[in-house]
């Protein structure tokens, strides 16, 4: 079944950049009478599924919303359990990233992360930088409004210093000041858990993304789910403001 869905994907029209809001770990655990942290632990295999599926489908960029700027406001023990899990996973999964030739990147305010986690992250980014298959982008301590705010401050500083004129500020200049400079815009955004909201994720970058909301909790996410999302995406006509006739001709 897995291979069937993959075979149905048109390799010439695979989304270049898929972004996923991995939501529903807590509810997944609760529905089993377990603590929220149990859900986070069981989220790792779903992350593995998403990465493996993107590698098989030859997706260039996969961005995973792993921890938001707002998630710092969760109870201290949950935040600390998430940081420990992240740290353990970075150690356990780095061989897997190497064997799949996956290059890892990080976006967000990583200076806010515990020193050890930051060190491990930068280490995996460094070790995998020669890999040339799927780019895995972890959004950590990430908030889109903060990202845009920081870009505005940097641009204002450049104008103040006389290195940039106001007239020269365009979309490209803004993009070059986002964490995602050098990363293409999002083609397909997926959110699990049934919530239909963006939660401060990649607001600029999803301007023309196709959005898909799945009624499953993140720990249940499978490779087939990702293949199905790509197939749904391939049935959409992306018009970018033009008419259907213009697109067909
Ligand atoms: C997503 O699952 C993981 C993070 C936000 C870190 P949640 O922890 O948000 O799970 P729910 O949405 O409460 O079920
Ligand atoms: C979004 O999920 C953040 C991540 C998946 C990392 P949340 O569970 O934090 O989002 P809200 O608060 O329900 O919108
Ligand atoms: Mg949630």
């Amino acid at each position: 079944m897995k291979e069937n869905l993959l075979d149905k994907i048109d390799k010439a029209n695979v989304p270049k950049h898929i972004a996923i809001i991995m939501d529903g770990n807590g509810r997944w655990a609760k529905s089993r009478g377990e603590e929220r942290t149990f859900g986070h632990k069981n989220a790792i295999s779903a992350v593995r599924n998403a990465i493996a599926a993107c590698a098989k489908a030859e997706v260039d960029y996969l961005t995973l919303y792993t921890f938001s700027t707002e998630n710092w406001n969760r109870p201290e023990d949950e935040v600390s359990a998430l940081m420990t899990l992240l740290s353990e996973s970075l150690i356990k999964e780095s061989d897997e990233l190497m064997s799949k030739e996956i290059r890892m990147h990080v976006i967000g305010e990583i200076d806010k992360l515990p020193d050890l986690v930051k060190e491990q992250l930068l280490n995996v980014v460094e070790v995998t930088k020669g890999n040339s298959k799927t780019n895995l982008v972890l959004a950590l301590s990430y908030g889109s409004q903060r990202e845009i705010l920081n870009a505005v401050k940097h641009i204002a500083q450049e104008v103040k210093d006389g290195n940039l004129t106001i007239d020269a500020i365009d979309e490209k200049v803004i993009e070059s000041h986002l964490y995602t400079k050098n990363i293409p815009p999002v083609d397909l955004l997926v959110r699990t858990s049934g919530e239909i909201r963006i939660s401060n994720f990649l607001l600029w970058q999803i301007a023309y993304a196709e959005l898909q909301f799945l009624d499953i909790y993140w720990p249940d996410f499978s490779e087939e789910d990702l293949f199905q999302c790509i197939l749904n995406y391939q049935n959409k006509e992306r018009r970018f403001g033009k008419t259907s006739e213009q697109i067909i001709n």
Side-chain angles (χ1 to χ4, degrees):
M1 157 132 181
K2 205 183 281 184
E3 295 313 313
N4 279 345
L5 283 186
L6 178 59
D7 289 344
K8 285 187 195 159
I9 291 174
D10 170 8
K11 283 283 171 73
N13 183 29
V14 170
K16 276 195 173 53
H17 186 174
I18 298 179
I20 308 183
I21 303 175
M22 311 185 288
D23 195 25
N25 299 350
R27 280 165 282 172
W28 183 90
K30 213 170 159 192
S31 72
R32 286 164 172 72
E34 301 279 353
E35 299 290 328
R36 295 178 53 82
T37 309
F38 182 70
H40 298 317
K41 286 188 183 133
N42 281 276
I44 311 289
S45 60
V47 171
R48 246 181 250 130
N49 292 341
I51 296 172
C54 282
K56 287 181 191 169
E58 296 175 26
V59 173
D60 279 348
Y61 286 87
L62 169 66
T63 300
L64 297 177
Y65 203 7
T66 308
F67 193 84
S68 72
T69 47
E70 289 74 23
N71 289 150
W72 288 115
N73 300 321
R74 290 195 177 189
E76 227 175 271
D77 58 346
E78 180 166 342
V79 171
S80 118
L82 280 165
M83 292 301 146
T84 305
L85 200 58
L86 178 60
S87 167
E88 288 169 1
S89 306
L90 283 166
I91 296 169
K92 278 194 208 145
E93 305 297 327
S94 71
D95 287 348
E96 188 65 19
L97 296 182
M98 289 311 288
S99 73
K100 288 197 164 67
E101 293 177 68
I102 285 162
R103 179 172 180 183
M104 197 177 87
H105 311 256
V106 193
I107 57 171
E109 294 186 315
I110 57 163
D111 285 339
K112 299 228 163 101
L113 298 167
D115 289 342
L116 176 67
V117 174
K118 187 182 156 189
E119 204 179 292
Q120 289 170 324
L121 275 169
L122 295 179
N123 181 49
V124 178
V125 168
E126 178 64 25
V127 167
T128 61
K129 78 176 181 199
N131 292 346
S132 55
K133 295 271 168 69
T134 301
N135 289 278
L136 168 67
V137 184
L138 292 188
L140 271 168
S141 190
Y142 175 87
S144 188
Q145 292 183 335
R146 190 68 55 77
E147 175 181 37
I148 293 169
L149 173 71
N150 288 335
V152 169
K153 283 186 181 171
H154 282 123
I155 292 168
Q157 188 65 51
E158 285 173 31
V159 171
K160 190 177 171 213
D161 294 344
N163 297 325
L164 185 69
T165 63
I166 289 179
D167 282 346
I169 301 171
D170 61 7
E171 288 84 350
K172 289 272 165 283
V173 168
I174 294 177
E175 274 159 17
S176 71
H177 287 80
L178 298 176
Y179 302 131
T180 50
K181 59 171 178 277
N182 308 325
I183 296 179
V186 176
D187 297 305
L188 169 60
L189 174 78
V190 176
R191 181 174 188 145
T192 56
S193 92
E195 304 301 355
I196 304 183
R197 57 175 174 256
I198 301 299
S199 305
N200 202 10
F201 189 42
L202 300 174
L203 299 175
W204 176 282
Q205 298 87 340
I206 61 167
Y208 256 108
E210 297 297 329
L211 311 182
Q212 293 186 36
F213 298 93
L214 309 190
D215 271 325
I216 54 165
Y217 294 135
W218 177 250
D220 289 328
F221 188 85
S222 65
E223 289 190 30
E224 293 98 284
D225 290 320
L226 192 114
F227 297 147
Q228 190 58 60
C229 288
I230 295 177
L231 288 168
N232 296 345
Y233 165 90
Q234 292 187 332
N235 280 324
K236 302 283 177 190
E237 182 181 65
R238 301 185 76 198
R239 290 189 286 277
F240 297 97
K242 295 183 179 174
T243 66
S244 187
E245 291 72 19
Q246 285 176 294
I247 301 300
I248 291 160
N249 296 326

